[in-house]
Amino acid sequence: MINKRRIALFGGSFNPIHIGHLILADYARVKMNFDEVWLMLSPLNPLKIDNKELLSDDIRLEMIRLAIEGLDGIKECDIELTMPRPNYTINTLRKLIEQYPDVEFSLLIGADNFANFDKWKDPDEICKLASVIVYPRLGYPMPDGTNDHIKPLDAPIIQISSTVIRKSAAEQRLVAPMLPRPVFDFIIDNNLYC
């Protein structure tokens, strides 16, 4: 029997990607023994359809690439950019499983998203196709860990958010410590979020 590669899908708008995303991705990779964590760019969250602050897919994907350059075990995944919009996680999983039959996929989601997991399209089917790994977010309860398909990740709570970074950048406040240096330089060079 061939051992499947274990890959966690960490989806998000990454608007912009920040060091908290990278810390969490690497922590999950090491703690849960994943071969890789794929940062999966979401072009449009069906539960946040009117997001007017969202930069273009190409710009956000470039920031992901800049952020992960030289990092082991963390890759970008742009599959959702090729799918009809709005897209649903269940459709992404089906397509990835078809393309990568040698991979066992897990989803890495925050407790804030898990609080709305019952509103996702076909959540029971998602759990049949992939384990759902839930990391803590301040103010949201964690799953109790009694379900074989939904597992809590005892990860540090990282108090950095893309929303705060966008607001701080617009107000010309310091954002450099929250971003990988190449991403910070890209934001400054392209006058983003101002």
Side-chain angles (χ1 to χ4, degrees):
M1 183 172 138
I2 298 171
N3 284 338
K4 290 189 170 192
R5 286 189 305 147
R6 298 184 67 246
I7 292 174
L9 302 170
F10 183 9
S13 59
F14 300 111
N15 188 36
I17 188 168
H18 54 69
I19 60 167
H21 294 127
L22 300 180
I23 291 167
L24 183 61
D26 196 55
Y27 184 90
R29 182 183 65 82
V30 173
K31 183 89 170 174
M32 304 292 289
N33 293 313
F34 289 117
D35 294 297
E36 293 177 343
V37 174
W38 291 358
L39 301 177
M40 187 169 64
L41 182 63
S42 301
L44 186 64
N45 181 332
L47 298 178
K48 300 179 183 175
I49 285 187
D50 61 346
N51 189 344
K52 295 176 177 58
E53 295 182 319
L54 198 61
L55 293 181
S56 76
D57 299 341
D58 291 339
I59 288 174
R60 291 180 294 124
L61 187 60
E62 180 61 22
M63 287 192 286
I64 291 172
R65 289 177 176 151
L66 289 168
I68 65 173
E69 189 173 335
L71 296 181
D72 289 334
I74 301 176
K75 312 287 183 197
E76 92 264 3
C77 178
D78 63 358
I79 191 167
E80 290 195 339
L81 304 185
T82 68
M83 300 179 75
R85 298 178 191 189
N87 182 50
Y88 299 94
T89 300
I90 187 63
N91 297 332
T92 303
L93 275 174
R94 287 175 180 145
K95 188 168 183 177
L96 283 169
I97 289 167
E98 181 182 315
Q99 285 184 1
Y100 301 97
D102 62 329
V103 171
E104 176 187 318
F105 288 103
S106 294
L107 289 178
L108 182 60
I109 68 172
D112 53 336
N113 282 316
F114 184 70
N116 294 317
F117 189 64
D118 61 331
K119 294 182 176 69
W120 291 29
K121 183 172 173 50
D122 300 328
D124 293 336
E125 177 78 8
I126 289 172
C127 289
K128 288 177 185 171
L129 297 179
S131 292
V132 178
I133 313 297
V134 182
Y135 62 88
R137 292 295 300 264
L138 202 61
Y140 293 91
M142 288 287 286
D144 61 17
T146 58
N147 184 317
D148 287 342
H149 303 288
I150 299 171
K151 301 173 179 158
L153 175 62
D154 183 22
I157 296 177
I158 300 166
Q159 288 293 85
I160 300 174
S161 80
S162 297
T163 304
V164 168
I165 291 171
R166 290 193 305 272
K167 188 174 187 307
S168 297
E171 295 170 358
Q172 298 183 335
R173 289 188 284 143
L174 185 66
V175 295
M178 296 182 275
L179 297 163
R181 185 64 198 213
V183 174
F184 174 75
D185 290 344
F186 184 82
I187 288 170
I188 296 302
D189 292 346
N190 292 281
N191 203 29
L192 304 177
Y193 305 117
C194 298

